[in-house]
Amino acid sequence: MSKKPLILGIESSCDETAASLITENSKGIPIVLSNIISSQVEVHKEFGGVVPELAARSHVEKIDWIVKKAIDESGRSIKEIDAVASTAGPGLVVCLSVGLSFGKAFAATINKPFIAVNHLEGHALSPKLNSKIDYPYLLLLISGGHSQYLSVKGLGKYKRLGTTIDDALGEAFDKTAKLLGIEFPGGPHIETFAKKGDPNKYDLPKPIFNKGGCNLSFAGLKTAILKISKTIKTQQEKFDLAASFQKTIEEILYKKTKVAFNEFEKLSNLKEKKFVVAGGVAANKKIRSMLMNLCKKNNYKSIFPEIELCGDNAAMIAMVGLERFKLEEFSSLDHPAKPRWALDEKATFLKGAGVKL
Ligand code: KG4
Ligand code: ZN
């Protein structure tokens, strides 16, 4: 049996410093050998958001030992690594530069190919870790910076069907959490609050619910929450607002996903209909179960990354590296850090005032 590729992945686009080694088994299924993530929550907590300069400094301080730990825990040696893949964008340029420069230098030192990876493509391929999923599939990418429906036809072949015209969904979760007095990053805690509240207490707006195809909008919802949060006096009312917010998001995603199913089906002749949900918000258990039910009703196979692979990690970056390595698609050592890098570069920019849907 020929040697299976061993890929080192490195991620530093925002506030997680991460490194991972992956390979594949005899059936060609990608296997995660190590997945080290160091979060900077403590660094940014007092500022209520990510401070780029502090994030970059923290990446610089940690990157060496994170990579060393990933290699040690994988049970493999540096000599066995076949390629190095680093996130090159999108993200904060000062943060991206740390993992990108480290990855390039590492690849050059061990004399192996370097692969520059789009962070969003990492999320898009994250469900492939530890399972076998063939193209094409419909992808809902819901993270702190992006919310998009994409038709994924193959590696690097994306067609955007819908996007947010203002805030990303993770951002809406985080901002709602902040208004409820939950410490940064509060998004994941909304679920816990929501369990204790009445989802029908507040009637919240659902922007562009009945228009704009499967494009999304969350800014109006945030404004409504801001207004209500000023009137809130009790802890129970906070739980009720969280529950109403969670329910509204589920209703929006249910409706928009149905629209996305239709648009996806028009694009290709499908043998099997597959719906992949990825990104940090895909960790939300109620969103997961609601979308699973919707898939059942519409004959879609629903696919989610394991919870620990929903948020930012380097295994997903190595996953893109593995696919590109097999196609011998390598990057040059002068590949730039790209703060903006869309998966579908042909799609029109749909943000800001005056957007026509
Ligand atoms: O993918 P990710 O780790 O980073 C980006 O690439 O943005 O996503 C982070 C986002 C944050 O906004 C966080 O609040 C949200 O994912 N998130 C959640 C949950 N877990 C993480 N939102 C809702 N429910 C969760 N359980
Ligand atoms: Zn991400």
Side-chain angles (χ1 to χ4, degrees), residues 16 119 123 143-145 170-171 173-174 187-188 191 279-281 283-284 310-312:
E16 256 99 28
H119 177 89
H123 280 301
S143 69
E171 211 179 333
F173 267 92
D174 292 335
E191 252 195 307
V281 187
N284 187 293
C310 286
D312 289 348

Side-chain angles (χ1 to χ4, degrees), residues 11 13-14 16 90 119-120 122-123 141-146 279-280 310-313 316-317:
E11 157 66 31
S13 63
C14 189
E16 256 99 28
H119 177 89
L120 304 176
H123 280 301
L141 173 60
I142 34 180
S143 69
H146 298 85
C310 286
D312 289 348
N313 66 82
M316 68 184 195
I317 304 305

Side-chain angles (χ1 to χ4, degrees), residues 336-352:
K338 294 168 81 169
R340 275 179 183 279
W341 190 359
L343 280 179
D344 176 0
E345 296 192 275
K346 288 197 200 116
T348 13
F349 189 66
L350 271 191
K351 261 193 181 169

Side-chain angles (χ1 to χ4, degrees), residues 37-315:
I37 306 171
S38 170
S39 166
Q40 304 176 357
V41 168
E42 289 307 317
V43 178
H44 304 290
K45 215 177 206 168
E46 64 177 293
F47 304 100
V50 177
V51 184
E53 184 56 36
L54 295 181
R57 193 193 300 175
S58 178
H59 287 310
V60 172
E61 284 165 3
K62 290 176 186 167
I63 189 95
D64 306 59
W65 69 262
I66 295 275
V67 171
K68 182 172 184 314
K69 197 163 188 278
I71 297 169
D72 289 348
E73 283 197 11
S74 73
R76 302 294 189 87
S77 71
I78 289 181
K79 277 192 293 207
E80 292 175 85
I81 295 172
D82 295 296
V84 182
S86 287
T87 305
L92 299 164
V93 82
V94 283
C95 295
L96 289 165
S97 303
V98 178
L100 185 61
S101 305
F102 191 96
K104 287 173 180 174
F106 199 103
T109 308
I110 61 170
N111 202 18
K112 290 288 161 63
F114 172 72
I115 299 160
V117 174
N118 182 321
H119 177 89
L120 304 176
E121 188 158 43
H123 280 301
L125 268 57
S126 58
K128 292 190 154 200
L129 292 160
N130 305 326
S131 54
K132 186 170 179 341
I133 305 164
D134 295 324
Y135 299 111
Y137 52 81
L138 173 66
L139 168 71
L140 170 60
L141 173 60
I142 34 180
S143 69
H146 298 85
S147 300
Q148 305 183 337
Y149 288 98
L150 293 141
S151 157
V152 184
K153 286 172 271 178
L155 182 70
K157 291 185 187 146
Y158 300 92
K159 182 168 170 49
R160 196 189 72 199
L161 306 179
T163 185
T164 175
I165 58 166
D166 40 56
D167 294 350
L169 184 52
E171 211 179 333
F173 267 92
D174 292 335
K175 285 179 181 165
T176 300
K178 201 170 176 181
L179 291 171
L180 293 177
I182 305 171
E183 242 179 25
F184 171 83
H189 300 292
I190 291 283
E191 252 195 307
T192 329
F193 266 48
K195 275 189 204 143
K196 300 176 197 159
D198 171 8
N200 300 314
K201 172 80 182 280
Y202 299 102
D203 189 20
L204 299 171
K206 296 181 207 124
I208 65 166
F209 194 63
N210 290 314
K211 62 172 188 175
C214 58
N215 288 300
L216 299 155
S217 167
F218 301 108
L221 180 55
K222 178 183 69 190
T223 312
I225 301 238
L226 172 67
K227 272 195 199 150
I228 298 170
S229 68
K230 287 182 181 155
T231 68
I232 276 183
K233 295 191 184 63
T234 66
Q235 189 65 14
Q236 187 55 48
E237 283 174 323
K238 284 189 182 179
F239 295 150
D240 294 342
L241 187 52
S244 305
F245 171 78
Q246 171 84 36
K247 179 190 135 209
T248 306
I249 295 298
E250 285 169 32
E251 287 172 356
I252 294 172
L253 290 182
Y254 188 91
K255 170 82 186 277
K256 293 290 180 175
T257 302
K258 277 206 294 191
V259 176
F261 281 171
N262 277 332
E263 294 195 12
F264 179 58
E265 285 160 36
K266 273 189 235 153
L267 283 178
S268 26
N269 226 341
L270 304 159
K271 266 191 249 134
E272 190 191 18
K273 298 190 280 187
K274 281 168 281 185
F275 180 50
V276 167
V277 188
V281 187
N284 187 293
K285 296 203 182 65
K286 282 204 72 206
I287 291 180
R288 282 170 99 100
S289 62
M290 177 277 293
L291 290 173
M292 274 177 201
N293 286 336
L294 177 65
C295 282
K296 258 189 214 150
K297 280 191 197 151
N298 290 272
N299 294 322
Y300 269 76
K301 182 174 177 198
S302 58
I303 303 159
F304 293 84
E306 291 163 29
I307 297 271
E308 53 281 12
L309 294 173
C310 286
D312 289 348
N313 66 82

